[in-house]
């Protein structure tokens, strides 16, 4: 059914018999391919933590080898030709791939403390014949699921060079779906690289399925454990898995580990890898961050579960067909784990609780505490691997944070991400297709300018049609009179807004410096308005560098893990935020004139003051501090820049949800478990969002042509709080007020 039918009064097209895709295509003009101009080199290792690994230059962009569609197998991939070969080319290709067998042998006798149900986990091995069969099946299945699975040939060539270093490879990705590891293993298999053992925290009840997966090198949770946390509570599980990991690495096997982006689960396996180096089982290990980007996530594989019913539901979804997205897999340059640990740059020790960093700045206007680092020890709590010493635990947390950052920055931005971001954060009320195409070109150049790759190529027409076809269930379409140009708007229902917001997450990482800076600028402007200095919209406000940096630093502490690498201090990140606001054109550097009011914060009283010095020789006994040597002002003082609205919107929803959650802490019972705490916080957020939605709906009933409100999408973006709120709300009930200016409110 056409999406227009949901609201016929506002979204009725002129020609119901004509496909909406044809209407859009008629309004578009052909454009030159985007990617012929610039292809950034992504995946280089950190120059601060691993300079020697960077100096090896394993990852090279010259000569450019291009990309390969993993699921497109033809007779050219085999050593044969002919009619029959074209029919069975996929089977011949799989049979000709090199397999590195990894039998279990007497491994269980070398693993200490093998008792009870944990003994079966040590018998995991890789069967060459079963691996070939499953790889052939995966090529067929993925060709039905996706229109293409693109891999970078230059990055695979770098992996071949990394294997010559004679160190085991450990592939680390951020968990997104249940097929992440399958894509990694299939890519390595098809390019004659060693297939890794996969750490997959799934609860599988069927014994035959467990045996099948274990023959493919999949390390599952022990029988009877529902989650990773339950397994880690077993006193024998951790030492057995540590010894098992060391034996795998000593044999020369590779590992594939997934890290949870919100809670950091999976970091304990990195501790076990590091323990193998400390115990002398292997001299070194090469870590390879992996970034996997989906046009749209597989519906039935968003959680780490496996079973017959999930497989049947997946088979039914394949038979239904429909639009298929693409996948882009990026392998970053391998770096030495031993070098990163010994460099001393990647560290998180000496952190302070978040309330200690921010409360003194908010309640007492003391900024000295915000320059310290935030405590992130909750990423690897003491209950997980209690045998770790404090130094090794802190090192593991730092490594986990760095790999979360590296894997995320390695990902490619897909076309659905661009369209979803523009619809949610720039055109909430709807947008003409021509305007959407113009903004896609602008956003694409901004992404490439930040050295982030995109996961598509071709003409503008193909890009827009592909993205809209995949997002069609979550969009509304209207025909704008009198030209009949299509207008696109996001559906206001919860599921659609949640899906679109998930597509925008990666772009928040891409523009995180600018988003933090925009929220800091808007927060300072709101304080100016609150003090009576901004009554005239034409008022030219000068922002001091020190105050802008401090405001950015406070917001930086509220970011979830993965946005800031541990080798960079929060203060250094805040300084980069200010510089990025100048580079993107929101702020311009200004020489402060003697008669120009300067927005300055008094450190003693915590209020705004306006100092105008008409006579340089005239002394003043006020408590106002001297203005900063470097000051900034908006590039368009007569009107708030549209780019500032867009960047604020990327973080404003998260900050507002955090503010609402902190307001609800007074209503929580004490003591309370972590699970109950999060459940009650989510309930409160939903209620607050419903109240705000009704309030803005009444105010804007006659203002919007489309039945959309700026607050509807806030009901369903609470999951980010599981990382930040657990730390703040569960340990101490405090109150922090953050109310940045949002684009929707300012425009109204």
């Amino acid at each position: 059914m056409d999406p227009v039918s949901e609201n016929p009064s506002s979204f009725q097209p002129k020609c119901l018999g004509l496909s909406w895709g044809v209407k859009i295509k008629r309004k578009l003009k052909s454009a030159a391919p985007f990617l012929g101009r610039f292809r950034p080199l992504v995946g280089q290792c950190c120059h601060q933590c691993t300079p020697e690994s960077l100096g090896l230059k394993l990852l090279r962009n010259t000569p450019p080898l291009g990309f390969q569609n993993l699921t497109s197998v033809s007779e050219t991939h085999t050593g044969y030709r002919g009619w029959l070969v074209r029919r069975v080319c996929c089977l011949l290709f799989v049979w000709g791939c090199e397999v590195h067998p990894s039998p279990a042998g007497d491994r269980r006798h070398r693993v200490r403390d093998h008792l009870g149900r944990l003994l079966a986990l040590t018998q995991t091995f890789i069967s060459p014949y079963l691996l070939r069969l499953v790889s052939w099946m995966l090529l067929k299945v993925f060709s039905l699921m996706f229109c293409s699975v693109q891999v970078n040939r230059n990055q695979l060539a770098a992996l071949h060079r990394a294997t010559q270093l004679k160190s085991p490879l450990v592939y680390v990705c951020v968990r997104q779906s249940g097929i992440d590891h399958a894509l990694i293993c299939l890519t390595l298999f098809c390019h004659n690289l060693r297939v890794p053992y996969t750490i997959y925290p799934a609860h599988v009840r069927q014994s035959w399925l467990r045996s099948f997966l274990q023959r493919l090198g999949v390390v599952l949770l022990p029988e009877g454990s529902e989650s990773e946390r339950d397994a880690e509570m077993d006193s024998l599980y951790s030492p057995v898995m540590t010894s098992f990991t060391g034996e795998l690495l000593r044999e020369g096997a590779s590992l594939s580990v997934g890290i949870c982006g919100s809670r950091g689960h999976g970091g304990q396996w990195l501790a076990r890898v590091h323990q193998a180096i400390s115990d002398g089982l292997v001299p070194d290990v090469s870590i390879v961050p992996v970034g996997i980007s989906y046009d749209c996530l597989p519906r039935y594989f968003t959680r780490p579960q496996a079973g017959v019913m999930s497989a049947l539901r997946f088979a039914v979804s394949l038979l239904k067909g429909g639009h298929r997205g693409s996948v882009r897999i990026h392998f970053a340059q391998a770096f030495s784990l031993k070098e990163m640990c010994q460099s001393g740059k990647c560290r998180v020790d000496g952190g302070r609780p978040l309330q200690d960093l921010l409360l003194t700045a908010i309640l007492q206007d003391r900024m000295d505490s915000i320059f310290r680092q935030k405590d992130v020890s909750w990423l690897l709590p003491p209950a997980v691997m209690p045998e770790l010493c404090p130094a090794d635990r802190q090192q593991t947390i730092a490594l986990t944070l760095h790999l979360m950052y590296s894997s995320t920055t390695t990902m490619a931005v897909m076309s659905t991400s661009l369209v979803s971001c523009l619809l949610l954060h720039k055109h909430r009320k709807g947008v003409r297709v021509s305007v959407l195409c113009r903004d896609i070109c602008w956003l694409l150049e901004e992404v490439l300018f930040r050295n982030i790759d995109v996961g598509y190529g071709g003409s503008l027409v193909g890009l827009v049609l592909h993205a809209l076809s995949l997002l069609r269930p979550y969009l509304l379409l209207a025909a704008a009179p009198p030209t009949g140009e299509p207008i696109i708007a996001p559906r206001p229902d919860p599921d659609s807004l949640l899906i679109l917001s998930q597509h925008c997450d990666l772009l928040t990482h891409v523009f995180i410096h600018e988003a933090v800076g925009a929220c800091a600028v808007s927060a300072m402007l709101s304080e100016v308005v609150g003090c009576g200095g901004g009554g005239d919209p034409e008022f030219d406000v000068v922002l001091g560098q020190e105050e802008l940096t401090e405001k950015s630093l406070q917001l930086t502490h509220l970011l979830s893990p993965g946005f800031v690498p541990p080798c960079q201090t929060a203060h250094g990140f805040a300084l980069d935020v200010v510089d990025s606001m100048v580079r993107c054109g929101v702020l311009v550097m200004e020489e402060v004139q003697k008669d120009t009011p300067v927005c300055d914060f008094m450190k003693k009283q915590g209020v705004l003051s306006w100092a105008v010095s008409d006579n340089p020789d005239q002394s003043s006994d006020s408590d106002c501090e001297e203005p900063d040597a470097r000051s900034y002002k908006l590039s368009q003082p007569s009107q708030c820049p549209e780019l500032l609205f867009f960047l604020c919107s990327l973080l404003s929803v998260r900050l507002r949800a955090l503010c609402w959650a902190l307001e609800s802490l007074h209503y929580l019972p004490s003591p309370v478990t972590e699970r109950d705490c999060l459940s009650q916080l989510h309930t409160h957020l939903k209620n607050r969002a419903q109240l705000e939605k009704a309030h803005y709906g009444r105010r804007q009933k006659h203002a919007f042509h489309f039945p959309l409100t700026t607050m509807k999408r806030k009901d369903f973006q609470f999951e980010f709080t599981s990382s930040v709120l657990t730390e703040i709300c569960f340990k101490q009930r405090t109150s922090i007020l953050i109310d940045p200016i949002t684009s929707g409110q300012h425009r109204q």
Side-chain angles (χ1 to χ4, degrees):
M1 182 171 60
D2 195 278
V4 176
S5 59
E6 181 165 310
N7 192 348
S9 61
S10 299
F11 291 88
Q12 188 71 22
K14 289 187 175 181
C15 302
L16 293 177
L18 194 60
S19 170
W20 67 276
V22 176
K23 302 177 202 172
I24 295 177
K25 193 171 183 179
R26 286 181 175 179
K27 299 297 179 180
L28 297 178
K29 297 181 180 180
S30 300
F34 291 110
L35 304 183
R37 297 178 295 176
F38 178 71
R39 170 72 64 180
L41 178 63
V42 298
Q44 290 184 314
C45 53
C46 182
H47 67 280
Q48 295 189 28
C49 302
T50 54
E52 295 182 5
S53 298
L54 182 63
L56 295 177
K57 297 183 179 180
L58 299 177
L59 183 60
R60 308 164 190 168
N61 206 21
T62 54
L65 302 178
F67 291 83
Q68 175 191 357
N69 183 7
L70 201 65
T71 59
S72 178
V73 180
S74 62
E75 61 178 337
T76 58
H77 294 85
T78 68
Y80 309 95
R81 296 293 185 273
W83 174 84
L84 182 60
V85 173
R86 289 193 291 270
R87 268 58 181 177
V88 295
C89 58
C90 186
L91 184 61
L92 292 176
F93 167 72
V94 170
W95 195 259
C97 290
E98 182 180 358
V99 176
H100 303 268
S102 182
D106 60 343
R107 185 187 301 146
R108 67 175 183 177
H109 299 293
R110 302 194 302 269
V111 177
R112 63 178 182 266
D113 297 328
H114 51 279
L115 295 175
R117 59 194 179 97
L118 300 178
L119 179 61
L121 298 179
T122 64
Q123 296 302 303
T124 304
F125 67 98
I126 297 178
S127 171
Y129 294 102
L130 186 59
L131 179 62
R132 295 182 189 275
L133 175 62
V134 173
S135 299
W136 172 76
M137 295 175 59
L138 287 178
L139 285 174
K140 295 297 184 180
V141 171
F142 287 157
S143 64
L144 297 175
M145 291 179 59
F146 309 108
C147 59
S148 65
V149 180
Q150 298 288 337
V151 294
N152 193 319
R153 295 177 184 268
N154 289 88
Q155 296 172 354
L156 292 170
L159 285 181
H160 280 282
R161 287 188 285 267
T163 57
Q164 300 175 3
L165 301 177
K166 306 301 181 183
S167 297
L169 298 180
V170 176
Y171 302 91
V172 182
C173 66
V174 175
R175 297 175 186 172
Q176 300 180 74
S177 70
I179 62 173
D180 294 340
H181 296 290
L183 289 168
I184 294 175
C185 293
L186 182 62
T187 301
L188 299 176
F189 171 81
C190 292
H191 291 85
N192 298 322
L193 291 164
R194 181 182 291 273
V195 176
Y197 282 80
T198 300
I199 310 299
Y200 188 63
H203 177 60
V204 181
R205 297 182 177 87
Q206 296 83 3
S207 57
W208 65 269
L209 184 57
R210 293 182 63 91
S211 177
F212 177 81
L213 293 175
Q214 286 181 339
R215 292 175 180 269
L216 294 173
V218 180
V219 181
L220 301 168
L221 292 176
E223 296 182 9
S225 299
E226 296 290 338
S227 63
E228 277 186 294
R229 176 170 296 183
D230 295 339
E232 294 291 345
M233 292 299 103
D234 191 340
S235 59
L236 293 177
Y237 178 78
S238 182
V240 170
M241 289 296 99
T242 300
S243 180
F244 175 60
T245 303
E247 289 298 327
L248 289 179
L249 296 175
R250 192 185 64 83
E251 296 171 3
S254 300
L255 295 179
S256 179
V257 180
I259 301 177
C260 180
S262 60
R263 298 299 302 276
H265 290 170
Q268 66 271 21
W269 292 97
L270 301 176
R272 294 175 178 127
V273 172
H274 181 250
Q275 188 66 34
I277 300 177
S278 302
D279 294 342
L281 297 178
V282 288
D284 197 3
V285 172
S286 296
I287 305 293
V288 182
V290 183
I292 304 177
S293 303
Y294 298 91
D295 267 334
C296 52
L297 282 173
R299 182 177 179 183
Y300 296 105
F301 291 92
T302 55
R303 293 184 179 180
Q305 58 183 359
V308 177
M309 294 305 300
S310 60
L312 291 177
R313 288 193 297 267
F314 168 66
V316 172
S317 65
L318 287 181
L319 294 177
K320 290 182 179 179
H323 296 285
R324 301 175 300 162
S326 59
V327 182
R328 173 67 66 84
I329 306 176
H330 281 174
F331 293 90
Q333 179 178 342
F335 63 86
S336 169
L337 176 59
K338 186 176 182 179
E339 180 190 2
M340 171 169 282
C341 295
Q342 293 179 351
S343 65
K345 299 291 186 179
C346 184
R347 51 189 303 177
V348 293
D349 53 332
R352 299 293 300 274
L354 190 56
Q355 59 266 24
D356 293 349
L357 299 179
L358 296 181
L359 281 182
T360 55
I362 296 173
L363 301 179
Q364 304 175 12
D365 199 34
R366 291 176 51 192
M367 299 297 174
D368 54 333
S369 61
I370 65 173
F371 293 95
R372 300 176 180 177
Q373 294 299 106
K374 181 176 64 174
D375 179 33
V376 288
S377 58
W378 54 269
L379 284 171
L380 191 63
V384 179
M385 297 189 68
E387 67 274 12
L388 278 180
C389 64
D392 291 341
R393 186 174 299 274
Q394 295 294 329
Q395 183 66 65
T396 301
I397 294 174
L399 179 61
T400 303
L401 288 173
H402 206 300
L403 287 173
M404 290 171 60
Y405 173 81
S406 300
S407 298
T408 304
T409 54
T410 304
M411 295 180 184
V413 176
M414 310 302 285
S415 59
T416 51
S417 299
L418 294 179
V419 174
S420 300
C421 184
L422 291 172
L423 290 177
L424 282 184
H425 299 294
K426 194 173 183 182
H427 304 293
R428 296 179 182 142
K429 298 183 293 183
V431 59
R432 295 175 182 267
V433 174
S434 58
V435 178
L436 180 64
C437 294
R438 180 199 65 193
D439 290 343
I440 286 177
C441 296
W442 161 76
L443 192 57
L444 169 66
E445 293 183 357
E446 293 291 333
V447 170
L448 295 177
F449 175 75
R450 287 157 179 82
N451 203 34
I452 302 296
D453 202 0
V454 291
Y456 53 85
S459 65
L460 181 62
V461 175
L463 165 64
V464 175
L465 287 178
H466 176 71
L468 293 181
S469 63
L470 293 175
L471 299 175
R472 180 181 179 183
Y474 320 113
L475 303 178
L476 296 171
L477 178 69
T483 61
E485 182 179 2
I487 297 180
I488 309 296
R491 286 181 179 270
D493 62 275
D495 294 335
S496 299
L497 296 173
L498 176 60
I499 295 297
L500 294 177
S501 64
Q502 290 175 349
H503 286 296
C504 301
D505 287 342
L506 183 57
L507 281 171
T508 304
H509 283 265
V510 174
F511 293 96
I512 188 59
H513 289 89
E514 293 80 2
V516 171
C519 289
V521 170
S522 61
M524 295 179 67
L525 293 179
S526 65
E527 293 176 348
V528 172
V529 174
C531 290
D536 186 2
E538 303 291 334
F539 194 79
D540 195 0
V541 180
V542 178
L543 307 176
Q545 182 187 24
E546 181 181 354
E547 288 76 23
L548 188 58
T549 303
E550 291 173 352
K551 189 69 67 175
S552 301
L553 187 55
Q554 296 179 47
L555 293 172
T556 301
H557 288 311
L558 296 177
L559 296 178
S560 301
F563 284 99
V564 183
C567 57
Q568 184 181 24
T569 63
H571 183 234
F573 182 86
L575 293 175
D576 292 342
V577 165
V578 178
D579 293 339
S580 67
M581 296 300 291
V582 178
R583 288 196 302 267
C584 70
V586 174
L587 296 179
V588 293
M589 191 175 299
E590 179 77 3
E591 290 188 8
V592 181
Q593 304 296 331
K594 297 177 181 180
D595 56 347
T596 302
V598 179
C599 176
D600 190 16
F601 294 92
M602 295 177 62
K603 301 297 186 293
K604 296 183 179 180
Q605 300 180 4
V607 297
L608 287 172
S609 64
W610 299 93
V612 181
S613 178
D614 296 330
N615 187 357
D617 298 330
Q618 182 180 0
S619 60
S620 175
D621 55 354
S622 66
D623 293 331
C624 301
E625 296 184 3
E626 293 296 328
D628 295 335
R630 297 174 62 183
S631 300
Y632 306 92
K633 70 175 186 178
L634 294 176
S635 58
Q636 301 177 17
S638 60
Q639 57 181 357
C640 203
E642 185 178 2
L643 180 59
L644 181 65
F645 291 148
F646 170 74
L647 296 174
C648 279
S649 181
L650 294 176
L651 279 183
S652 62
V653 175
R654 303 187 180 205
L655 294 176
R656 186 171 296 278
L658 178 59
C659 178
W660 289 347
L662 293 172
E663 291 175 357
S664 69
L665 296 182
H666 301 286
Y667 306 103
L668 292 179
S670 180
V672 60
T673 63
E674 179 180 348
R675 178 174 298 180
D676 293 339
C677 176
L678 290 179
S679 177
Q680 295 182 37
L681 286 175
H682 288 180
T683 302
H684 174 78
L685 290 175
K686 184 176 181 179
N687 295 335
R688 281 298 308 269
Q690 291 290 348
L691 292 175
E692 291 287 336
K693 179 177 64 176
H695 171 69
Y696 279 91
R698 288 192 299 267
R699 285 181 53 191
Q700 303 166 359
K701 181 177 179 180
H702 304 289
F704 287 170
H705 177 68
F706 301 109
L708 307 175
T709 65
T710 60
M711 305 301 294
K712 284 184 179 292
R713 61 191 180 90
K714 298 178 181 176
D715 303 19
F716 313 96
Q717 293 193 3
F718 310 142
E719 292 304 324
F720 82 97
T721 60
S722 60
S723 58
V724 178
L725 293 181
T726 300
E727 179 187 8
I728 307 175
C729 310
F730 183 62
K731 293 182 179 179
Q732 179 174 346
R733 290 186 284 179
T734 58
S735 178
I736 301 176
L737 179 60
I738 301 171
D739 192 12
I741 299 175
T742 60
S743 60
Q745 292 172 326
H746 256 61
R747 289 176 181 175
Q748 296 150 14

